[in-house]
Amino acid sequence: MDLNLSPDEIKFRDELRTWLSAHAPTDWDERREESMESRFEYLKRWQRKLYEGGWAGISWPKEYGGRGASLMEQVIFWQEMALAQAPPLANVLGLGIIGPTIIAFGTEAQKKRHLAKILSAEEIWCQGFSEPDAGSDLANVRCEARLDGDHYVVNGQKVWNSYGWAAHWCELVVRTDPNVPKHKGLTVLLVDMKTPGVEVRPLRQMTGETEFNELFFHDVRIPVTNVVGKVNEGWGVAMGTLMHERGTFGAGLQITYRRNMERLIDLAKTTERNGRPASEDPVIRQKLAQCYAEIEIMRCNQMRAFSRINATGVPGPEGSIQKIFWSELNQRFQQVAQEVMGPYGQLEAGDDHAIDNGMWAYGYLRSRGNTIEAGTSEIQRNIIGHFVLGLPKSY
Amino acid sequence: MQFGLSESQQILKDTAHKFFAGESPVAAVRKAMETETAYDAALWTKLAEQGFTGIIAPEEFGGMGLGKVELILLMEEAGYALLPGPFFSTVALAGTVIDACGSPEQKKKYLERIAAGQARATVALVESAGSWDTQGLKISSAGNKLTGTKLFVTDAAVADFIVVVARDGVFVADAKAPGLHIEPMKGMDLARKIYSVEFKDTPAEALGNPRGLAGALNVATAGLCAEMTGGMQRTLELTVAYAKTRKQFGKPIGIFQAVQHLCADMYLETESSRSATYYAAWALEENTPDAAASVSVAKMYASDAARNVGNRGIQVHGGMGFTWENDIHLYYRRAKASETMLGDATFHRERIARRIIDEASSGNKKERPRQAALASR
Ligand SMILES: Cc1cc2nc3c(=O)[nH]c(=O)nc-3n(C[C@H](O)[C@H](O)[C@H](O)COP(=O)(O)OP(=O)(O)OC[C@H]3O[C@@H](n4cnc5c(N)ncnc54)[C@H](O)[C@@H]3O)c2cc1C
């Protein structure tokens, strides 16, 4: 065990640090008043800057625009981004889960066509997995694709599609063979969102925003060259995507978590509780310390997991603990934030008295989605029970 | 950067695992815990032969001179086996304090005997207030003589000498010194006995560098976290094995999600304790700026997790988990005792709070207007 950086890693870190101190924007916090769309444009510009500086896709192959470094450098990247209090990146799903899927399963042509544009945020990606009747039971997907010459013709519906409103491309799971057991007739397609017949309908979520969407497909023609992996072997491809979503995706979150933690400590110092700053209240102190410790442990768990993946090559089912950890931690954290702020915590954007323009009210509500998206906490615990601990399958 | 064990570290861990499984199986643990001291002299000799009693003592004092990560790997396996007796007290606690606070002569005198397996020792710190906070201690020396009572002293009855933390220094008293009186306390951990130790004008030797104490206690705490992690691992394994074999409604109970999810949470908390503990050991070894905080992070988490893991483990075992015969309560008992030892979760959260709230300058960001009201305080 050696968490010291190797000479190469030190060089990497120092270069990155220098670059970040010169280029990382410092005004992200001040954008809270702006619309979701304009904030997203800001993050796209930021990601573009990182890409042009050579800092996007740290562990992605060089020939496709990545840096060709190891996963450990990827870990260092997130830590440095967090330290620099840099804004998060725009193309979250493209970078975190879809790019890695294309790298693992895609054709040479697909890699050439897509990877660099994911890194530069020129093309934003979304994930079209869930359907009204295929949520936790993802293999139940009904959205169908029929072969017609050198195209698949897609018909059906997807739901809870994050970033659908901003996306240029979608990783879509479709049924290509209805006559075999449900896991065996699925295929993954890369779908250009501008293809005729694709319709995006915003879904308003409990936060009031329309961050996710419904997708409808009416006779959408997708070239067969857009199949990822093999036809009818889409389950394996989708699982690869989900392993990344569960196992490695959380690493980028420490940027946000640490930033939120520091902000909350500042707020606790300037919020009164029983005639003194909340930060001097023993109960609040206990709760803040607990959150801090859990964020640290999330980081340690991730470092350990990345080291393991670095050695074995692929994320495994034990990644489910990362997913449970970051999602449930954020829910606990948001509740502590509410306790620090008292009645002010409920105030949403636009209220004159709202703290940080309602960011905390939003964060509190948004965190309920954390234990649902990317596989519910119950499903993650099923995965650990069966695939990690070897308990019999419950269904 | 590599957050996994090196080959030699893995070998050490595997060796320790096999050694404890062979030399201290649970039947032996039960036998030891029925004795007054839980100390088995024959086992101690074997621990010394393995070099375990000198695992982190410097080579010049007869130790193996290994690092903190190696220490915690050994402690993790000791915890897995619920090793009875004074190993933790002697090696991780007293040995570490003497190594950090003793002069070279004192190390020769005390540490060398520990490393060679010739002496057992412990640390007496807590007083009637029940706190591990060294600030509030009452006992102080008068002309190198100690008077007063220490409580919750682990393994005192088999110690050859006792390291005493007093208000004005760190001392070593011979267990046979005049005025020193040891009484058993009836603690929950049957495999690690605790005692009250009374001093009446007891002569004691002051250690040369008492400032080393805080660092040494951090190392011991990381060792304890590792031992707790090992206990959690064993509790998890016992529970999963039981869930696979115990049948109700014609099926193994592990098929029921209510049971699976208890096991999944046990796994999550065990692994998270391990990550935090390994990180803390590494941070101590490298003396990183966050080393002390990372120890508190680990102990805070492990204190709660060890209890939670035990709670769930007993629940999954049903009535069987409530019996004396089942081993799970032995681990549960130790988890409870270890929870408060060297500071419970509340204690360590306050330590973290001091660091992240009181010490941290909120300086890295621009002054925000709404902070102005209180900023002048
Ligand atoms: C904010 C947000 C963003 C999302 N973004 C996307 C996206 O971009 N792309 C995408 O494809 N999907 C996305 N999703 C969808 C998400 O993956 C699904 O909501 C999730 O997998 C659960 O499916 P469901 O909603 O159909 O709930 P259901 O599967 O109906 O689950 C309902 C409840 O039953 C429980 N349950 C179901 N099956 C089991 C079982 N076998 N054992 C135990 N409990 C069970 C669940 O845990 C849950 O508590 C998003 C969801 C949210 C909330």
Side-chain angles (χ1 to χ4, degrees), chain A residues 308-378:
Chain A
R308 204 179 309 130
I309 298 167
N310 207 29
T312 60
V314 280
E318 69 282 354
S320 284
I321 69 170
Q322 318 296 345
K323 168 70 216 312
I324 297 176
F325 207 101
W326 70 251
S327 57
E328 297 185 355
L329 158 58
N330 193 39
Q331 291 178 347
R332 289 189 288 269
F333 173 82
Q334 294 294 342
Q335 171 57 22
V336 172
Q338 288 290 317
E339 289 172 36
V340 168
M341 276 165 257
Y344 290 94
Q346 67 187 302
L347 296 176
E348 300 201 66
D351 188 286
D352 280 350
H353 295 281
I355 297 174
D356 294 336
N357 194 32
M359 161 185 137
W360 298 97
Y362 171 79
Y364 174 74
L365 293 174
R366 178 63 183 82
S367 72
R368 296 325 306 174
N370 295 157
T371 47
I372 300 168
E373 60 197 316
T376 67
S377 287
E378 291 73 30

Side-chain angles (χ1 to χ4, degrees), chain A residues 93 126-137 158-163 205 211-212 245 366 368-370 372-379 382 394-395, chain B residues 257 261:
Chain A
L93 297 176
C126 66
Q127 179 190 17
F129 282 29
S130 304
E131 296 181 9
D133 286 328
S136 299
D137 187 6
K158 293 284 169 181
V159 73
W160 321 130
N161 177 256
S162 304
Y163 300 100
Q205 52 198 42
E211 199 185 40
F212 60 28
E245 188 168 28
R366 178 63 183 82
R368 296 325 306 174
N370 295 157
I372 300 168
E373 60 197 316
T376 67
S377 287
E378 291 73 30
I379 294 299
N382 293 346
S394 63
Y395 50 94
Chain B
Q257 285 187 1
H261 290 193

